[in-house]
Amino acid sequence: MKNTPSVEEHLEIYRKMLMVRHLEEGLGALHKEGRTRGPIHRCDGQEAVGIAATAVLETGDKVATTHRGHAVYIGKGMAMRPVIAEIFGRATGACGGRAGHMLVADAEKGVIGGNAIVGAGIPAATGMALSMQIMGQSNVAMCIFGDGAAQTGICHEAMNMAALWKLPVVFVLEHNQFGLTVPSEVQSSVADLSVRAAGYNMPSEIVDGNDAVAVYRAVSGMVERARRGEGPAMIECKTYRLEGFSTSDMGGYQKAEDIAAWKDRDPLTLSRNMLMQAVSEERLSEVEASAKAEVEAAFEAALSDPMPTFAVDNACNPYSEAH
Ligand SMILES: Cc1ncc(C[n+]2csc(CCOP(=O)(O)OP(=O)(O)O)c2C)c(N)n1
């Protein structure tokens, strides 16, 4: 079928999803030891969205993401070590240790960046698409954003403009059912947020966001369309956040039966089950071992990397000996 990832592409998607899971489990453990600074936003259970959607893109395409962007950084081609080094404020981090995990960017890889301002990636990707159109490039921009971000005014303004000017931008809505601790039915007048695309005269599709192949297929169709100059589209990926909003989350607002049901549909399990039909158990084990080893090596290297030497007043430098 057109737009279906090859087995090798799916294996790479699976490997990257595993890497992000190991990354976030590692961050969770280091947080418990008091070795992280500020909240960390994990995407356990949502990896298929960020990884499979960006697997469709070329290096020259650009992606903007959210405060929960680890899967997007790795999916769009960033290596694990500069991402971890950035999270821990090291000089070798993707942004020289100045950004932290919510704002990682890499111009060469086309990662416009994570963003701590809810909804702000939507106009950023739209603006990037406008510049691509003006410069006559065949690239596309993508924005991955949450259901909370979909309720912002800037989302409406950017989508209206993108559709009006037929900009090459694909809006990938990572519908994980919550904005902070607020369930989506309390913040939205509609359950399927992509019905709003019709209001902009923009095509849309709803997919199982835990099924990496389904995400890839839907997104690749809309990316091809945008690349042909036919304008923007929205893909609504239905998924679920298995961990808390961040490492600061006290929990207690997600139903145990919902968590259990979505755990049964973990994107890693779904992909593994699909891949078992196509490759040997031995090949899957090799991929799994390689993902684990790569993340372990990246943690070890990044955590021994030096801190940056900023010209700042040490009184407000969280990395100084005084703190
Ligand atoms: C403009 C703005 N308003 C409020 C916040 C506080 N805030 C941070 S994350 C968040 C919820 C975001 O929900 P969603 O877009 O669904 O993303 P998710 O956390 O579920 O991935 C809120 C309200 C913020 N960072 N920026």
Side-chain angles (χ1 to χ4, degrees):
M1 185 179 165
K2 196 171 171 283
N3 297 333
T4 299
S6 66
V7 171
E8 287 306 312
E9 284 168 332
H10 192 186
L11 271 173
E12 183 56 9
I13 288 169
Y14 178 56
R15 199 180 77 87
K16 285 186 169 179
M17 291 198 296
L18 274 170
M19 282 174 58
V20 172
R21 182 67 60 88
H22 289 311
L23 163 71
E24 298 196 330
E25 286 174 351
L27 291 173
L30 288 166
H31 171 76
K32 286 205 177 105
E33 291 172 22
R35 294 174 67 192
T36 54
R37 287 179 193 269
I40 301 277
H41 306 80
R42 295 171 56 167
C43 67
D44 307 55
Q46 305 174 208
E47 294 91 343
V49 179
I51 301 283
T54 53
V56 167
L57 298 178
E58 293 170 6
T59 307
D61 297 333
K62 312 275 187 228
V63 64
T65 182
T66 69
H67 51 286
R68 200 178 302 288
H70 298 147
V72 177
Y73 308 149
I74 300 303
K76 190 64 174 62
M78 293 183 70
M80 193 52 89
R81 180 176 178 175
V83 169
I84 299 179
E86 189 55 50
I87 294 169
F88 286 90
R90 308 292 158 144
T92 52
C95 304
R98 291 163 171 79
H101 101 108
M102 279 193 264
L103 300 170
V104 175
D106 184 333
E108 276 179 23
K109 299 290 184 195
V111 178
I112 308 173
N115 208 311
I117 302 171
V118 170
I122 305 170
T126 304
M128 196 57 76
L130 175 60
S131 101
M132 288 164 172
Q133 188 188 65
I134 290 170
M135 292 170 80
Q137 296 169 345
S138 62
N139 291 115
V140 301
M142 176 181 286
C143 179
I144 301 194
F145 62 107
D147 42 297
Q151 319 308 338
T152 62
I154 193 70
C155 174
H156 166 73
E157 292 177 45
M159 287 187 182
N160 180 54
M161 194 175 282
L164 183 66
W165 293 344
K166 282 202 172 352
L167 300 181
V169 54
V170 175
F171 299 108
V172 179
L173 170 53
E174 187 171 40
H175 196 163
N176 69 3
Q177 325 275 340
F178 292 92
L180 265 170
T181 55
V182 184
S184 55
E185 61 270 23
V186 180
Q187 47 162 318
S188 169
S189 56
V190 286
D192 297 331
L193 291 163
S194 52
V195 300
R196 295 178 184 168
Y200 309 112
N201 194 20
M202 194 161 71
S204 67
E205 197 172 329
I206 297 176
V207 291
D208 176 354
N210 284 26
D211 177 341
V213 173
V215 172
Y216 183 102
R217 277 184 188 151
V219 172
S220 74
M222 297 304 193
V223 164
E224 278 173 20
R225 195 182 161 275
R227 221 185 278 291
R228 287 195 301 267
E230 292 171 28
M234 194 195 298
I235 314 286
E236 179 173 1
C237 305
K238 302 279 196 188
T239 184
Y240 190 85
R241 166 161 63 66
L242 290 175
E243 285 289 320
F245 167 74
S246 76
T247 42
S248 320
D249 195 334
M250 307 295 281
Y253 58 90
Q254 289 174 281
K255 291 184 196 140
E257 61 267 32
D258 288 348
I259 296 176
W262 282 91
K263 268 193 180 153
D264 284 345
R265 304 198 62 262
D266 187 315
L268 300 179
T269 314
L270 296 191
S271 269
R272 193 177 207 284
N273 289 345
M274 277 185 258
L275 284 163
M276 270 168 56
Q277 316 294 318
V279 299
S280 64
E281 181 67 36
E282 197 183 2
R283 182 86 201 278
L284 282 173
S285 302
E286 273 168 27
V287 166
E288 285 157 359
S290 119
K292 191 163 188 278
E294 192 171 331
V295 178
E296 280 173 3
F299 263 113
E300 201 179 322
L303 290 174
S304 350
D305 280 341
M307 290 296 186
T309 47
F310 298 132
V312 292
D313 176 357
N314 268 343
C316 53
N317 176 3
Y319 300 120
S320 78
E321 295 298 315
H323 286 258

